[in-house]
Amino acid sequence: MSDSNQSEFIYPSQAVIDQANVSDYEALYNYSVTDREGFWAEQADTLSWYKKWDSVLDESNAPFYKWFDGGSINIVDNAIDRHLKNANRNKMAIIWEGENGQVRNFSYNGLNREVCQFANVLKSMGVVKGDIVTIYMPQIPELVFAMLACAKIGAIHSVVYGGFSTEALASRIDDAHSRVLITADGGWRRGKQIDLKSIANDAMSRSPSVEVCICVKNNELDVEMEPSRDFWLHDLKALPIASPKCETEQTSSEDPLFILYTSGTTGSPKGMVHTHGGYAVYTSTTHRMAFDIKPEDRWWCAADPGWITGHSYIVYGPLINGATIMLYEGAPNYPYPNRWWQIVEKYGINILYTSPTAIRGLMRFGERWPQKHDLTSLRLLGSVGEPINPEAWKWYHKVIGQERCPIIDTWWQTETGGFMICPLPITPLKPGSATKPFFGNEITIVDDDGEEVGAGEEGKLIINNPWPGMARTVFKDDQRYQDLYWSKVGDKWRYLAGDSAKKDSDGYIWVIGRMDEVLKVSGYRLGTAEIESALISHPAVNEAAAIGLPHELKGNAIHTYVILKQGMVGDQKLAAELRAHVGHEMGKIATPESVEFVESLPKTRSGKIMRRVLKARALGQDEGDLSTLEE
Ligand code: WT7
């Protein structure tokens, strides 16, 4: 075992322990895995149901598990409606700050009015229960309203991250076959207006399913609106149909709440399907226990609502728990590297949840920026998206948390809906380890034969049980869901996460990274297949391969290898053009760091590109077993 696994524990202070929502991890964990259904039924009981469930867990069609089947619930009834009946009514639900300093606040009552109006607008556009509405927006309150409005009327939202571009948006609209697209004229980033509507227009011209486009006015861009298809939200809100009262639809536990596309090993992105019941129970429980949420807390998850982190821990979990959420639209270091610390001080943020890449990005500006600000409101810090390197962990702990705030490193995935491995505030920490399984989960590390490996040995991370927040399927593709994630050993199904990990002799889990063709770039999940197909869509390109190589800030950076069509000249100008082309098709986050022109690519005899060989060559490492390499 490497020394880092045996690193010394960092213990929480007595103050943290004294106020923890969960005071004994071992006892509750043992109960949760001995009586899993009992544990989850107790958690579900804290929510509001129109009708309670018939069964907690239905395993009859495993691995297509059902949770709280027979129950009737709407996640919005829990995230908004029930708060209107108590003291939360006038409490701040959302504090939003735009990059240019604009501030907008919404109480739970105010949030409800916005969501009801939006829901009525959707209804007037013919949206009914079960319809899939695609949402492509910057980080503005209307993004949250749009999601909640869909859920409220039983429609299914499919949010496409606002940093994605034409092809990524078009393919997601197409797969979901959305009739309605919600977007905005644009967003702000580093003082510049980002033109979303023209990207949406391009995407709609490639995806004929869209009949209605609702556009939010967010900046001063002069955008092209097609009269019979495109409507400004503010115009629709001014109509009598947009009343601020709207009945919440009584959905079933297992009714789909949203689809979120994520990159996988091969081919097109997968639409992971999450539900109203189990997801509500899982996100609120994990959020309440791992982040020790108190009624007076101001919670800031500095992710984009367009990713699963934002769905679960900006929108649903925190609102169900009645927290006040912070939403900030812009770049962390704009106009200066103290922007985030200024926000923490100004709004008295108690819990900050962000990614290792953001921490590394702010760390490079030095301690003097956070030191300008009073950060004493912070009680807990969180990390998500990729393994956090101990150096960044220690900086976050010392400089931002002033050694007072435990770091809650949460391992999970789009597919899991919520935290699977994470400490509680009372857990002794080891920098770089997400520590132990969340309640109800049994996690083992296995070898290629499925046998558990010894302490400190690397293997595949598997989850041995279903949990309420799990995705129920891949949209329209049950078979792909079963084949990609589940395997049966004896009569037990187990979930394969696609990550490699180690468990040390204290039972602490150290996630190493993806084992497949998925890249984590600045914590964003991208598929090599999507980057390659974006390259191939350029007229000069014949074939392409993408790999990830270590990068100090981003964790990984994308490097690509391109075989050109005959007669094309691979010069610097074309390399720059190809990089820009991928950015244009996929989004800026997918722009390759480098494009190298090659004559051939290493392939297996069956024609698969051997990306691991490219990677080993680039890193000057041993190329490993080359027996399947074509001559
Ligand atoms: C992949 C899932 C879950 C929200 C954001 C990412 C990696 C995520 C951690 C962590 C080590 C992590 C894994 C995982 N990952 N959190 N705390 N420590 N690795 O969701 O985009 O679906 O990506 O992110 O590799 O499989 P996602």
Side-chain angles (χ1 to χ4, degrees):
M1 176 174 312
S2 75
D3 284 351
S4 73
N5 288 11
Q6 291 293 26
S7 72
E8 271 185 39
F9 286 114
I10 293 178
Y11 291 94
S13 69
Q14 199 55 43
V16 168
I17 294 172
D18 286 345
Q19 62 169 347
N21 287 347
V22 178
S23 56
D24 186 343
Y25 170 79
E26 294 295 329
L28 192 58
Y29 179 76
N30 289 337
Y31 165 62
S32 74
V33 292
T34 319
D35 183 4
R36 182 167 293 114
E37 294 185 38
F39 173 81
W40 285 116
E42 281 162 29
Q43 303 312 318
D45 252 332
T46 66
L47 298 185
S48 155
W49 297 79
Y50 301 113
K51 174 185 170 287
K52 289 267 167 89
W53 52 92
D54 299 326
S55 62
V56 177
L57 171 63
D58 177 350
E59 304 188 80
S60 58
N61 189 27
F64 299 94
Y65 297 94
K66 289 181 182 167
W67 285 89
F68 310 107
D69 199 32
S72 176
I73 183 173
N74 187 306
I75 200 163
V76 176
D77 181 45
N78 284 280
I80 301 178
D81 304 6
R82 65 172 179 157
H83 298 309
L84 305 178
K85 298 172 200 141
N86 60 39
N88 282 344
R89 182 185 172 84
N90 295 325
K91 182 177 171 179
M92 204 85 91
I94 300 177
I95 304 172
W96 176 84
E97 186 171 304
E99 200 188 62
N100 54 16
Q102 198 194 346
V103 178
R104 295 166 71 195
N105 295 325
F106 301 88
S107 65
Y108 274 89
N109 185 52
L111 172 64
N112 180 56
R113 290 175 64 87
E114 294 287 347
V115 171
C116 285
Q117 279 203 297
F118 215 132
N120 283 324
V121 164
L122 292 176
K123 278 185 178 174
S124 76
M125 291 295 175
V127 176
V128 294
K129 187 174 175 213
D131 283 355
I132 305 171
V133 175
T134 298
I135 303 176
Y136 178 63
M137 301 259 271
Q139 280 200 57
I140 54 175
E142 281 76 8
L143 167 51
V144 179
F145 305 157
M147 291 165 73
L148 292 164
C150 288
K152 186 176 177 76
I153 62 174
I156 302 162
H157 57 72
S158 166
V159 179
V160 179
Y161 167 58
F164 274 139
S165 193
T166 316
E167 183 49 34
L169 175 59
S171 63
R172 285 159 177 79
I173 295 175
D174 248 2
D175 190 74
H177 220 78
S178 283
R179 198 178 63 81
V180 175
L181 172 68
I182 305 173
T183 188
D185 50 355
W188 291 92
R189 195 82 181 169
R190 290 182 201 291
K192 281 208 226 76
Q193 303 194 51
I194 309 289
D195 182 356
L196 286 188
K197 182 63 167 58
S198 63
I199 297 173
N201 287 347
D202 282 352
M204 284 188 280
S205 70
R206 294 187 200 181
S207 321
S209 66
V210 179
E211 290 168 20
V212 173
C213 173
I214 300 173
C215 190
V216 177
K217 185 133 189 64
N218 182 50
N219 54 22
E220 283 95 49
L221 286 169
D222 194 15
V223 298
E224 213 179 287
M225 300 284 280
E226 194 182 296
S228 59
R229 184 195 65 194
D230 303 350
F231 304 87
W232 288 108
L233 179 69
H234 57 264
D235 288 342
L236 299 173
K237 275 172 78 176
L239 300 174
I241 45 129
S243 131
K245 285 206 169 100
C246 176
E247 202 59 35
T248 302
E249 178 85 23
Q250 300 198 4
T251 44
S252 307
S253 302
E254 284 290 312
D255 278 344
L257 166 65
F258 66 84
I259 297 174
L260 189 59
Y261 287 88
T262 191
S263 304
T265 306
T266 51
S268 55
K270 302 165 284 195
M272 303 312 303
V273 179
H274 285 281
T275 58
H276 273 265
Y279 180 80
V281 174
Y282 201 76
T283 53
S284 57
T285 305
T286 46
H287 182 243
R288 186 176 69 249
M289 292 184 171
F291 281 102
D292 235 357
I293 285 296
K294 311 290 180 207
E296 62 280 9
D297 274 339
R298 291 197 162 181
W299 159 262
W300 184 16
C301 166
D304 190 293
W307 297 88
I308 192 69
T309 312
H311 281 54
S312 300
Y313 299 110
I314 292 178
V315 183
Y316 292 112
L319 291 177
I320 295 172
N321 288 331
T324 298
I325 61 180
M326 178 74 213
L327 204 59
Y328 166 60
E329 185 191 4
N333 57 348
Y334 187 86
Y336 301 107
N338 64 334
R339 185 66 188 259
W340 273 21
W341 318 126
Q342 202 174 36
I343 290 175
V344 168
E345 175 174 356
K346 178 172 172 193
Y347 299 101
I349 302 297
N350 305 107
I351 310 168
L352 171 66
Y353 182 40
T354 185
S355 62
T357 196
I359 298 162
R360 287 193 296 265
L362 291 166
M363 193 167 106
R364 84 196 136 124
F365 298 111
E367 297 184 16
R368 67 193 178 97
W369 293 98
Q371 275 166 359
K372 284 184 207 289
H373 296 276
D374 178 1
L375 304 180
T376 50
S377 61
L378 290 171
R379 192 176 81 241
L380 292 167
L381 297 171
S383 175
V384 62
E386 57 180 319
I388 177 164
N389 48 310
E391 197 197 351
W393 196 103
K394 286 176 182 151
W395 188 84
Y396 197 29
H397 187 249
K398 180 166 163 271
V399 179
I400 307 307
Q402 295 154 350
E403 293 180 347
R404 181 185 69 245
C405 309
I407 295 190
I408 310 298
D409 179 2
T410 60
W411 177 88
W412 58 296
Q413 308 177 300
T414 306
E415 293 86 342
T416 71
F419 311 150
M420 299 305 288
I421 307 172
C422 63
L424 304 179
I426 56 167
T427 308
L429 301 172
K430 296 187 187 189
S433 167
T435 75
K436 298 211 168 179
F438 188 75
F439 302 112
N441 298 325
E442 292 172 275
I443 290 177
T444 39
I445 314 298
V446 302
D447 62 20
D448 287 340
D449 301 323
E451 295 296 325
E452 189 163 357
V453 300
E457 280 173 46
E458 188 174 336
K460 299 176 180 175
L461 193 160
I462 61 163
I463 302 161
N464 295 292
N465 54 273
W467 61 100
M470 58 193 282
R472 298 299 191 267
T473 190
V474 171
F475 181 57
K476 294 190 298 198
D477 206 342
D478 287 348
Q479 194 62 45
R480 195 170 171 205
Y481 173 74
Q482 176 167 333
D483 296 348
L484 276 175
Y485 298 107
W486 295 91
S487 65
K488 203 170 183 180
V489 180
D491 60 354
K492 257 188 84 78
W493 286 94
R494 8 196 251 187
Y495 174 89
L496 188 68
D499 278 14
S500 63
K502 298 179 192 176
K503 206 188 259 190
D504 71 18
S505 49
D506 295 315
Y508 276 50
I509 299 162
W510 299 74
V511 174
I512 296 161
R514 299 290 310 184
M515 299 182 309
D516 51 16
E517 310 297 344
V518 169
L519 301 182
K520 282 277 174 159
V521 180
S522 299
Y524 294 121
R525 178 163 162 182
L526 298 168
T528 50
E530 289 166 278
I531 300 161
E532 289 160 8
S533 69
L535 278 168
I536 294 165
S537 73
H538 188 281
V541 176
N542 189 25
E543 222 180 333
I547 59 166
L549 294 178
H551 184 280
E552 210 184 323
L553 288 181
K554 301 177 182 175
N556 286 290
I558 303 166
H559 294 263
T560 61
Y561 300 85
V562 167
I563 303 177
L564 290 173
K565 289 198 177 130
Q566 212 145 45
M568 302 303 301
V569 183
D571 54 14
Q572 278 199 349
K573 190 166 155 273
L574 184 57
E577 188 179 317
L578 292 180
R579 292 179 63 234
H581 176 73
V582 177
H584 179 265
E585 290 295 299
M586 278 287 295
K588 222 178 123 213
I589 49 163
T591 305
E593 204 80 356
S594 75
V595 174
E596 194 178 316
F597 297 106
V598 292
E599 294 296 320
S600 66
L601 289 166
K603 284 189 187 165
T604 61
R605 281 185 204 101
S606 58
K608 270 201 201 147
I609 297 170
M610 295 179 83
R611 296 185 188 77
R612 88 176 155 78
V613 173
L614 287 170
K615 196 168 166 174
R617 280 181 197 163
L619 293 172
Q621 291 170 348
D622 179 25
E623 292 174 12
D625 178 9
L626 295 180
S627 58
T628 57
L629 189 72
E630 194 186 33
E631 282 311 307

